[in-house]
Amino acid sequence: MLQLHQVNRIWQQAPHNAFTDLIDFNGALWCVCREGSSHVSGDGALRILRSEDTLNWHSVALIQDDGADLRDAKFSQTPDGKLLLLGAGALHDRSICSHQSYIWQSDDGANWSAATAIGEHNIWLWRMAWRHQQLYALGYKIGKPHFMRLYHSADQCNFSAVADIYSGSYANESGLLFDSAGTMLCLLRRDPEHGLFGQSQPPYTDWLWQDIGCRIGGPQWLKLPDGRLLCCVRLYDNEVRTSLCWLDSATGRLTEALALPSGGDCSYAGMVLRGNTLYISYYSSHEETTAIYLAVVSLAADN
C-alpha cells in the first residue's frame, strides 16, 4: 500500500522548470532539473538543488552551455563516492550532429567538472546503472533509423557500445536496474505504442521484451528490498498525469497505484527510498506555472 503524506513545490524560478532527478548524497537530498524559457528552447540549463530536511531547498549550482540546450540530467554515485551527472545537449550548431551526451563529475555536489562528451553523436544516453563497479547506460538514436544501444564504461569517461538491444519503433527514454543475480532490467518508453519491460542476462546482448499494457513517459523505477518493482511514469489514458505504478516482473504488466498531484506537461521523476519512506521529485504544470515538486510517500509491506 502506498500513502501520500505531502507534496511541496520546491522550485519555480524559471519560466519552465522540468525533467528532474533525485539522489541521496552526503546526508542530504539533491535534485537536478532543467530551467528554460519553455519545454524546448535554446537556453536550457541544469539547476542543482540541495535540502537537508526535504522541505527547504537551496540552489548550489547551475550548469550552462552557450552552445547547447542542456536537457534531462540524471544523477549517479560512483563506488568511490563521487557524484556523476549524465545529460544531453541539443546543439545550436548542427553542422556535425544535432545532439551530444555529456557527463559531469563532482566531489561535493556544488562544484562540477567541465562537460565530457561521451558515447556517439546523435545517440542520447538516458540513465546510468552500476554492476560490480561497472557503469552501464542505455541510449536511443535521434532520427531514423530508430534503435536502442547499450553502453558500458569502466572509467565514467569512455563509453563503448555493448549491443543494439531494440529496434523497429520509436523507443527512447528508459530506466535501468539490476537484480541480485545480475539480470539487467529495462523499463522502456515507445511512441506511440505501449511501453516495454525488458530482461537480459550477461553479457546483455540478448533481450526478452514484454508489453506493459499502456503508454508511458519519463520512466523511473526502484527495486524494493522485498523484490517489488515500483515505477514512476507519465500516464496518457484519460487525463495525463504522473503516477506511481507496480510492475509485475512475471507478466510485464504495469498497474497504477497512486496518482500524484499533476497534469498537462508533467512527469520525469527522481526516486529516493529511505527506510519505508519514498521521496519523489517530478515536475508538473497543473498549477500556475511549470514547477518542480517533491512528494513524500510511505510504503507498506503489501501492495
Side-chain angles (χ1 to χ4, degrees):
M1 180 178 179
L2 305 177
Q3 182 178 354
L4 180 62
H5 284 290
Q6 63 183 19
V7 176
N8 294 310
R9 192 188 313 163
I10 64 172
W11 195 254
Q12 57 175 35
Q13 298 301 310
H16 193 272
N17 311 272
F19 314 120
T20 82
D21 198 25
L22 193 68
I23 197 168
D24 195 341
F25 177 69
N26 285 350
L29 287 184
W30 300 73
C31 180
V32 60
C33 65
R34 175 188 178 271
E35 294 184 343
S37 300
S38 61
H39 187 106
V40 177
S41 58
D43 59 353
L46 306 178
R47 175 73 65 179
I48 312 292
L49 307 171
R50 180 180 183 273
S51 176
E52 293 185 349
D53 60 8
T54 76
L55 294 174
N56 299 289
W57 291 81
H58 307 282
S59 172
V60 295
L62 181 67
I63 298 175
Q64 298 173 289
D65 188 329
D66 291 339
D69 168 19
L70 298 181
R71 306 184 64 85
D72 295 293
K74 310 292 190 299
F75 281 124
S76 186
Q77 186 171 348
T78 67
D80 62 356
K82 295 181 180 180
L83 270 184
L84 297 181
L85 195 63
L86 172 67
L91 304 179
H92 299 160
D93 179 0
R94 302 196 167 191
S95 58
I96 297 177
C97 64
S98 63
H99 291 75
Q100 177 64 56
S101 296
Y102 298 105
I103 205 163
W104 297 263
Q105 300 191 33
S106 176
D107 292 322
D108 59 8
N111 299 286
W112 291 86
S113 69
T116 298
I118 59 171
E120 301 169 80
H121 295 327
N122 293 337
I123 297 182
W124 194 322
L125 275 66
W126 192 254
R127 191 178 286 277
M128 300 169 282
W130 292 90
R131 174 67 178 169
H132 292 159
Q133 301 191 15
Q134 302 298 302
L135 184 60
Y136 292 85
L138 188 59
Y140 69 93
K141 174 69 164 53
I142 301 296
K144 294 182 178 180
H146 298 307
F147 59 80
M148 303 294 300
R149 181 168 291 169
L150 182 65
Y151 291 85
H152 164 264
S153 176
D155 61 6
Q156 300 104 60
C157 292
N158 298 289
F159 284 72
S160 58
V162 175
D164 290 356
I165 69 169
Y166 182 84
S167 62
S169 63
Y170 182 39
N172 45 86
E173 301 160 3
S174 60
L176 284 181
L177 291 174
F178 288 95
D179 69 13
S180 58
T183 302
M184 186 182 289
L185 310 176
C186 178
L187 180 59
L188 183 62
R189 173 181 179 174
R190 296 189 298 171
D191 291 302
E193 300 96 336
H194 290 174
L196 296 175
F197 171 55
Q199 303 179 68
S200 181
Q201 304 295 327
Y204 311 120
T205 54
D206 296 316
W207 285 75
L208 171 66
W209 296 101
Q210 295 169 285
D211 189 315
I212 66 172
C214 61
R215 185 184 176 196
I216 60 169
Q220 173 59 327
W221 57 348
L222 293 174
K223 193 172 191 295
L224 302 182
D226 62 11
R228 292 179 294 170
L229 294 171
L230 181 58
C231 314
C232 191
V233 298
R234 179 195 291 169
L235 295 176
Y236 292 85
D237 59 306
N238 301 318
E239 294 184 1
V240 174
R241 63 203 179 279
T242 300
S243 283
L244 290 170
C245 304
W246 298 107
L247 191 142
D248 187 319
S249 59
T251 66
R253 305 301 275 188
L254 197 75
T255 303
E256 186 175 15
L258 178 65
L260 301 177
S262 58
D265 188 6
C266 67
S267 183
Y268 293 79
M271 304 170 72
V272 166
L273 183 64
R274 289 176 169 175
N276 290 322
T277 302
L278 177 65
Y279 299 91
I280 308 150
S281 64
Y282 66 101
Y283 84 95
S284 180
S285 58
H286 67 290
E287 296 185 314
E288 66 267 21
T289 186
T290 307
I292 308 301
Y293 295 84
L294 185 81
V296 183
V297 174
S298 65
L299 280 64
D302 297 318
N303 62 328

